[in-house]
């Protein structure tokens, strides 16, 4: 019988129990039980553990109701962070009480949306202290009430006291009006344990107050300051950085624009400027040019809306000889001008000094432009022209194709890495062929999307490949292979370049038609001895023949002493070996992707048994993979089979709907990429 089955005492019986307890328990100890009231209105006597448990549940429920009523919510990637906006003192008092009673809130982002007085901030400070908050972001949106004028010059003192409570580790203060004018640093009686601090808008008249405040925050690792003038703020902060011996990062920001300084032992080591994230080059930023002239910058990120700003870019490079990393975004038609500006600036600088820092430049077109490129090129220390360049070629328009041709003509011989997409056409291929024939090829990595090229463009690219002696990574991407036009491109590339091919991606509907054509060009794995990456996708899930499946299995097989041919019988591991194949060697695959290759019941078993897991980095499976196949994979990829790299296993569009992912992950021992859908 449970307690819920016992009938509650009522009326005379309850009064009789009271008399009995009064006679037998003179000290009213009641067995150290505590009286609580249930939601139904009944009185219960429970032990302390049950009392605390019930109390916490009720407190948390009330807290969630207060949060919901005020439009708050939980966010955060480093842990649950509570975000809430409070519109009045009454609502704030209710929220503080609920927060303190609930416990468990460590990260709080709070906005006070009324005329906040000194008393209001003292109430907030007390609640934050009692709730054991460790990270606080505070927004105060008003100047304070007129009736609180007597406290005007000490209104924000409760915030300073909070900095010294030995629990707050991170504090962000936003939208405070005249913050430095309304504080008295002397109220900070002990040292602050803050590690990260973000302070409101700073101007030079309050330099002494700022430095006094920072002296009390000697444990700071990161400091961010909103500024009106970059150079003034930098000079004021760096007057004596020894007051912040642990500081590693200093950020000066103005809206979305900022500069970041790396600090060590009280000295500026380097500076970077991710200035124009979300805004456009050319806006007036007080003090920024003076700051750039100090020559401390090593990294620059910018969006340049017009080639007219190329001269400004050149100045920044010349002022900062330690600059080694530049990331630029621009319009397609301005790319050539900016690259020329960088090159000419390097030429001038080398005339003045014997050595320059190597510099790497990433240049991409705006996302809104029709078509685009992504270029990375590098200047070595003694050179004035790029010595290594990589490119992603997107989908250019007719006019942009002309612009890309100019870039190829000027810098094509410097290309180190080239990845082509839908916009790499015959004209660009011919230009690259011509330039590399005249000036040589430095290509070390080429990823070629074959689809947009005709036989003329393919012939140009084959010539480029043949003269690229340093090429150590070559990948072909064949798509839309259900069409005869695309199938005809297989022959010239695989027959002439198969021995140097490192990656092969073949994709298309009606795979039973085009896979035999690929098989005819590379019937055995030794025909592609350098292959490291293999991807095959049949988008319509076509039923494949046994010969096609045997070929897929042979492609993913490692180089054994004897070349096996796996049977499609589920439990069979028999093999036949040709003397020619047993004499050949090839690289085992590090990347395998198979998409909807077949609903055949034994295909996955054959593939799983064939793979060499000692070097495999990624196995990407889409469609038709069963739970039994997962169990077999676990058996074939035991712990310790690959001590160097982690097996990333993806399962997409499979029959695992409703299965707990942790149970799947436990079957494949090691780290598993969570992409189950």
């Amino acid at each position: 019988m449970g307690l819920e089955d016992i009938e509650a005492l009522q009326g005379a019986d309850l009064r009789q129990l009271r008399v009995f307890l009064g006679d037998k328990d003179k000290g009213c100890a009641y067995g150290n039980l505590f009286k609580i009231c249930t939601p139904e209105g009944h009185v219960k006597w429970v032990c302390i553990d049950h009392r605390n448990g019930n109390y916490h549940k009720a407190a948390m429920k009330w807290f969630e109701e207060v949060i919901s009523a005020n439009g708050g919510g939980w966010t955060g990637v480093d842990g649950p962070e509570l975000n809430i906006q409070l519109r009045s003192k009454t609502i704030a008092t209710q929220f503080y009480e609920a927060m303190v009673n609930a416990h468990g809130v460590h990260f709080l982002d709070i906005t006070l949306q009324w005329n906040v007085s000194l008393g209001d901030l003292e109430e907030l400070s007390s609640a934050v202290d009692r709730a054991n908050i460790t990270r606080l972001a505070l927004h105060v949106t008003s100047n304070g009430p007129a009736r609180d004028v007597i406290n005007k010059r000490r209104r924000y003192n409760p915030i300073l006291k909070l900095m010294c409570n030995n629990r707050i580790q991170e504090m962000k203060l936003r939208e405070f009006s005249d913050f430095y004018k309304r504080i008295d640093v002397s109220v900070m009686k002990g040292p602050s344990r803050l590690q990260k601090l973000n302070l409101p808008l700073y101007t030079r008249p309050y330099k002494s107050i700022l430095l006094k405040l920072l002296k009390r925050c000697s444990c700071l690792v990161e400091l961010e300051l909103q500024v009106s003038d970059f150079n003034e703020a930098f000079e004021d902060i760096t007057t004596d950085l020894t007051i912040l011996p642990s500081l590693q990062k200093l950020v000066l920001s103005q809206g979305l624009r900022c500069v970041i300084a790396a600090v060590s032992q009280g000295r500026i080591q380097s500076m970077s400027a991710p200035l124009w994230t979300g805004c456009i080059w050319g806006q007036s930023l007080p003090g920024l040019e003076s700051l750039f002239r100090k020559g401390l910058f090593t990294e620059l990120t910018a969006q340049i809306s017009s080639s007219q700003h190329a001269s400004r870019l050149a100045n920044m490079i010349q002022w900062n000889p330690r600059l080694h990393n530049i990331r630029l975004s621009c319009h397609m038609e301005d790319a050539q001008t900016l690259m020329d500006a960088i090159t000419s600036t390097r030429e001038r600088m080398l005339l003045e000094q014997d050595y320059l820092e190597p510099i790497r430049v990433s240049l991409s077109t705006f996302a809104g432009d029709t078509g685009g490129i992504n270029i990375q090129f590098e200047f070595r220390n003694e050179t004035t022209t790029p010595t290594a360049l990589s490119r992603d070629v997107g989908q250019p328009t007719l006019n942009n194709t002309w612009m890309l041709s100019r870039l190829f003509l000027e810098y094509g011989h410097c290309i180190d890495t080239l990845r082509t997409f839908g916009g790499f056409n015959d004209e660009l291929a011919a230009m690259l062929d011509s330039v590399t024939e005249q000036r040589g090829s430095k290509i070390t990595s080429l990823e070629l999307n074959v689809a947009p090229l005709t036989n003329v463009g393919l012939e140009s690219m084959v010539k480029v490949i043949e003269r690229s002696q340093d090429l150590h990574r070559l990948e072909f991407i064949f798509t839309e292979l259900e069409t005869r036009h695309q199938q005809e491109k297989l022959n010239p590339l695989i027959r002439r370049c198969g021995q140097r091919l490192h990656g092969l991606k073949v994709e298309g509907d009606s795979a039973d038609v085009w896979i035999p054509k690929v098989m005819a060009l590379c019937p055995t794995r030794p025909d592609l001895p350098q292959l490291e990456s293999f991807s095959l996708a049949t988008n319509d899930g076509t039923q494949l023949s046994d010969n096609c499946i045997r070929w897929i299995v042979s492609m993913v097989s490692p180089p054994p002493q004897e070349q096996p041919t796996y049977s499609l019988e589920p439990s069979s591991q028999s093999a036949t070996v040709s003397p020619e194949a047993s004499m050949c060697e090839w690289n085992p695959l590090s990347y395998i992707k198979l998409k909807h290759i077949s609903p055949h019941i034994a295909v996955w078993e054959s593939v799983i048994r064939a793979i060499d897991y000692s070097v495999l980095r990624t196995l990407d499976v889409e469609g038709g993979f069963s739970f039994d196949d997962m169990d077999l994979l676990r058996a074939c990829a035991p712990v310790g089979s690959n001590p160097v790299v982690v097996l990333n296993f993806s399962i997409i569009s499979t029959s695992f709907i409703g299965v707990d992912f942790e149970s799947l992950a436990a079957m494949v021992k090691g780290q598993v990429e969570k992409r189950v859908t």
Side-chain angles (χ1 to χ4, degrees):
M1 176 182 296
L3 289 175
E4 64 276 4
D5 298 322
I6 300 176
E7 184 178 354
L9 297 179
Q10 298 181 4
D13 292 334
L14 189 59
R15 290 190 291 273
Q16 187 175 357
L17 175 61
R18 183 186 183 98
V19 172
F20 173 79
L21 291 175
D23 179 52
K24 299 297 183 181
D25 189 1
K26 301 294 186 182
C28 298
Y30 300 142
N32 201 31
L33 298 178
F34 298 85
K35 182 173 68 173
I36 65 171
C37 184
T38 69
E40 294 80 14
H42 298 151
V43 172
K44 292 177 65 174
W45 291 82
V46 297
C47 68
I48 189 170
D49 291 336
H50 283 83
R51 186 197 71 157
N52 291 343
N54 291 332
Y55 177 80
H56 185 258
K57 290 180 181 177
M60 282 301 300
K61 181 179 179 182
W62 180 42
F63 187 40
E64 292 293 344
E65 290 175 354
V66 173
I67 293 173
S68 177
N70 290 281
W74 299 90
T75 60
V77 294
D78 298 328
E81 177 179 320
L82 176 59
N83 292 268
I84 194 166
Q85 298 180 1
L86 304 178
R87 298 183 301 276
S88 70
K89 175 180 174 61
T90 303
I91 294 175
T93 300
Q94 182 187 47
F95 170 76
Y96 299 152
E97 181 182 357
M99 178 179 67
V100 171
N101 290 336
H103 302 292
V105 180
H106 300 294
F107 305 160
L108 175 63
D109 188 330
I110 184 171
T111 302
L112 306 183
Q113 297 179 318
W114 73 96
N115 288 324
V116 176
S117 67
L118 172 66
D120 296 333
L121 291 176
E122 287 176 338
E123 185 180 11
L124 167 68
S125 177
S126 175
V128 169
D129 196 19
R130 288 185 294 142
N132 294 322
I133 302 295
T134 59
R135 287 173 51 185
L136 174 66
L138 177 59
H139 308 250
V140 176
T141 60
S142 71
N143 294 326
R147 58 180 172 79
D148 196 40
V149 66
I150 192 173
N151 295 317
K152 184 176 182 180
R153 295 195 178 277
R154 60 192 185 102
R155 180 170 297 148
Y156 300 138
N157 283 356
I159 307 302
L160 300 189
K161 293 179 181 179
L162 201 55
M163 291 181 182
C164 300
N165 76 346
N166 292 325
R167 280 186 292 275
I168 295 283
Q169 298 178 10
E170 180 177 344
M171 183 178 290
K172 298 180 180 179
L173 305 178
R174 296 294 196 195
E175 302 180 48
F176 281 71
S177 175
D178 296 328
F179 176 78
Y180 306 96
K181 188 177 180 180
R182 299 179 179 184
I183 60 174
D184 180 2
V185 180
S186 64
V187 301
M188 300 177 71
K189 298 303 182 182
S192 171
R193 301 297 179 187
L194 277 173
Q195 295 185 1
K196 297 181 180 180
L197 179 60
N198 190 318
L199 289 172
L201 183 64
Y202 166 78
T203 56
R204 174 158 277 179
Y206 301 106
K207 175 182 176 180
S208 61
I209 297 176
L210 174 65
L211 294 181
K212 288 179 183 178
L213 173 59
L214 295 180
K215 282 183 180 180
R216 303 297 180 97
C217 302
S218 58
C219 296
L220 282 180
V221 176
E222 294 186 16
L223 171 64
E224 180 171 351
L225 193 64
Q226 301 294 316
V227 301
S228 59
D229 186 293
F230 282 100
N231 190 58
E232 284 187 358
F234 178 81
E235 290 180 345
D236 293 348
I237 288 287
T238 56
T239 298
D240 185 9
L241 274 179
T242 57
I243 64 175
L244 299 173
S246 301
L247 191 67
Q248 299 177 11
K249 182 178 180 181
L250 171 64
V251 181
L252 306 178
S253 58
Q254 189 180 102
L256 294 173
R257 295 150 291 187
C258 68
V259 295
I260 302 172
V263 185
S264 177
Q265 298 179 344
R267 296 174 63 91
I268 300 293
Q269 302 298 313
S270 63
M271 295 187 69
S272 59
L275 287 167
W276 286 269
T277 302
C279 45
I280 299 299
W281 184 296
Q283 295 182 356
S284 176
L285 300 174
L288 184 61
E289 181 174 315
S290 299
L291 187 56
F292 265 103
R293 286 180 179 272
K294 296 183 184 298
L296 298 172
F297 284 86
T298 57
E299 297 187 25
L300 170 67
T301 299
Q303 294 182 5
I304 302 180
S305 58
S306 171
S307 59
Q308 296 177 359
H309 300 303
S311 59
R312 187 176 181 187
L313 173 64
N315 288 336
M316 290 185 172
I317 295 173
Q318 191 154 9
W319 293 335
N320 294 272
R322 296 170 56 200
L323 200 63
H324 63 75
N325 193 357
I326 302 176
R327 292 180 292 273
L328 303 176
S329 298
C330 65
H331 292 296
M332 180 68 128
E333 59 269 20
D334 297 330
Q336 179 76 47
T337 303
L338 296 179
M339 291 181 69
D340 291 343
I342 295 171
T343 302
S344 60
T345 303
R346 295 278 295 188
E347 291 175 351
R348 291 195 304 272
M349 293 174 70
L350 269 177
L351 292 176
E352 301 172 358
Q353 49 192 313
D354 296 332
Y355 177 85
L356 290 178
E357 287 285 338
I359 183 171
R360 188 164 187 85
V361 181
S362 299
L363 181 64
S364 60
T365 51
F366 289 136
D369 284 6
T370 302
I373 56 174
N374 188 331
I375 310 171
Q376 297 86 38
F377 58 100
E378 182 179 356
F379 295 87
R380 303 287 166 77
N381 51 17
E382 75 287 351
T383 58
T384 60
T385 57
T387 55
L389 185 149
S390 64
R391 310 179 44 107
D392 293 345
V393 180
Q395 185 74 44
T397 62
L398 181 61
N399 291 335
N400 287 340
T401 298
W402 172 78
M403 184 59 63
L404 283 171
S405 298
R406 286 185 58 199
L407 289 171
F408 267 62
L409 181 63
E410 184 70 25
Y411 299 104
H413 66 289
C414 301
I415 292 178
D416 173 84
T417 301
L418 176 62
R419 294 179 293 271
T420 73
F421 302 106
F424 189 77
N425 53 27
D426 289 354
E427 180 182 346
L428 296 175
M431 180 66 68
L432 185 61
D433 178 24
S434 175
V435 169
T436 55
E437 181 181 20
Q438 297 173 21
R439 308 179 67 176
S441 173
K442 295 183 180 179
I443 296 178
T444 62
S445 179
L446 172 61
E447 181 181 314
L448 182 64
N449 187 337
V450 175
L453 297 174
T454 68
N455 288 335
V456 174
L458 294 178
E459 180 63 27
S460 296
M461 290 308 300
V462 169
K463 292 178 181 178
V464 172
I465 292 170
E466 290 174 344
R467 68 173 62 102
S468 300
Q469 298 303 312
D470 296 328
L471 187 64
H472 60 75
R473 171 70 186 176
L474 175 62
E475 180 171 356
F476 291 151
I477 301 174
F478 295 93
T479 58
E480 302 175 6
L481 283 173
E482 66 273 9
T483 64
R484 179 174 296 181
H485 173 62
Q486 297 297 334
Q487 294 170 16
E488 292 173 349
K489 300 175 182 180
L490 292 164
N491 185 50
L493 290 178
I494 293 181
R495 285 203 180 278
R496 295 174 63 178
C497 305
Q499 293 293 311
R500 302 180 68 182
L501 196 62
H502 300 88
L504 177 63
K505 179 179 179 179
V506 286
E507 180 178 338
D509 297 335
S510 305
D512 56 326
V513 174
W514 56 263
I515 286 183
K517 297 182 183 296
V518 183
M519 291 169 53
L521 296 170
C522 47
T524 63
R525 184 65 172 79
D527 294 306
L528 305 174
Q530 304 297 322
L531 199 68
E532 300 172 348
S533 171
F534 178 68
S535 174
L536 187 147
T538 63
N539 299 324
D540 57 355
T542 304
Q543 175 74 46
L544 301 181
S545 67
D546 288 352
N547 284 337
C548 290
I549 296 174
R550 289 192 184 95
W551 176 76
I552 294 172
V553 172
S554 71
M555 286 293 104
V556 303
S557 299
Q561 292 182 349
E562 293 185 341
Q563 166 77 5
T565 302
Y566 288 98
S567 168
L568 292 176
E569 295 300 323
S571 60
S572 174
Q573 299 185 45
S574 61
T576 59
V577 182
S578 65
E580 296 81 2
S582 64
M583 298 293 291
C584 298
E585 292 187 359
W586 60 90
N587 292 332
L589 298 179
S590 60
Y591 175 92
I592 299 173
K593 178 176 181 178
L594 300 172
K595 179 179 178 182
H596 301 306
I597 61 172
S598 175
H600 196 293
I601 190 172
V603 63
W604 288 120
E605 178 175 350
S606 303
V607 169
I608 291 169
R609 292 186 183 280
I611 293 172
D612 180 3
Y613 296 94
S614 65
V615 297
L616 185 66
R617 294 175 182 268
T618 300
L619 175 59
D620 201 336
V621 174
E622 298 190 25
F625 203 83
S626 71
F627 204 88
D628 290 338
D629 295 326
M630 175 71 85
D631 197 18
L632 179 61
L633 178 63
R634 177 196 58 80
C636 292
V639 174
S641 62
N642 188 345
V644 179
V645 295
V646 175
L647 174 62
N648 296 304
F649 181 69
S650 303
I651 320 162
I652 298 179
S653 302
T654 69
S655 57
F656 292 139
I657 302 299
V659 177
D660 178 45
F661 180 81
E662 297 303 326
S663 64
L664 297 179
M667 303 188 71
V668 181
K669 298 180 180 179
Q671 296 185 21
V672 183
E673 183 181 350
K674 296 187 178 183
R675 290 177 56 200
V676 178
T677 60

